[in-house]
Amino acid sequence: MLCLFDIDGTLLLKASAAHAQAVHEALREVYGVADPAVPKVEAAGRTDAEIARAICLHHDVGAERFDAGFDAFRAACVAAYARLCPADLSDRVAPGMIAVLEALAALDGVRLAVLTGNLEPIARIKLERAGLARFFEEGQGSFGSDHEDRVELLAIARARAGGYPRE
């Protein structure tokens, strides 16, 4: 059985301020977006790329320019997040989550993975600094850097897990 976990709001609580700041810094650096916080774009359930695109389109950064600069945006965002993220996120782990992950990890035939809109390097930093990386092996799960449309992430996670059937 494949068990997928979101990071923000599921594994971690109140751990996204540095992430939002990193996205905004990268938007200013790469696309010259003066005030990325306006308009407020709802982040829940969206990928980093989808959020960044929505902000850029509002600030008259066209889709072609956004796509052309996306690799630079990704690199700038990850670098900013690595700098801004607290060294220890263990106090942000959702209550009871470690016990749940330990219990699931102990079961035969269960694979744990993340499905998140975070860019993969940002997700990995969050998991590492929260002390949760041990539950989620590299090469598994799906991330906002895999596809801009979060709906597509489930198929990616399943394929990486070896096509675990839906249960």
Side-chain angles (χ1 to χ4, degrees):
M1 178 186 334
L2 176 61
C3 294
L4 297 169
F5 291 85
D6 190 16
I7 294 178
D8 299 307
T10 302
L11 294 172
L12 301 179
L13 304 177
K14 299 180 182 174
S16 58
H19 188 170
Q21 187 177 348
V23 168
H24 291 170
E25 282 188 19
L27 288 170
R28 275 194 286 287
E29 178 183 326
V30 175
Y31 300 108
V33 174
D35 189 0
V38 176
K40 172 136 176 54
V41 173
E42 181 59 44
R46 300 174 91 177
T47 65
D48 287 350
E50 183 183 8
I51 295 163
R53 183 182 298 276
I55 293 169
C56 280
L57 290 174
H58 176 80
H59 289 275
D60 297 323
V61 174
E64 188 174 302
R65 182 169 164 229
F66 178 81
D67 292 341
F70 187 73
D71 288 342
F73 165 79
R74 177 186 168 170
C77 190
V78 170
Y81 184 72
R83 177 177 44 80
L84 295 166
C85 179
D88 183 359
L89 291 175
S90 61
D91 64 331
R92 313 286 170 84
V93 175
M97 188 54 68
I98 291 177
V100 167
L101 294 171
E102 286 174 340
L104 288 170
L107 297 173
D108 287 336
V110 172
R111 176 171 286 166
L112 304 179
V114 293
L115 186 153
T116 179
N118 294 193
L119 297 170
E120 183 171 3
I122 290 174
R124 296 287 177 196
I125 291 169
K126 287 180 182 182
L127 294 171
E128 185 63 39
R129 293 185 185 183
L132 301 177
R134 63 190 164 116
F135 296 108
F136 302 102
E137 73 181 89
E138 297 280 338
Q140 295 297 307
S142 56
F143 307 86
S145 42
D146 293 324
H147 202 287
E148 188 171 327
D149 184 351
R150 191 177 178 117
V151 172
E152 300 297 325
L153 298 182
L154 179 57
I156 293 167
R158 289 181 70 224
R160 287 182 176 154
Y164 272 78
R166 293 179 194 218
E167 296 190 36

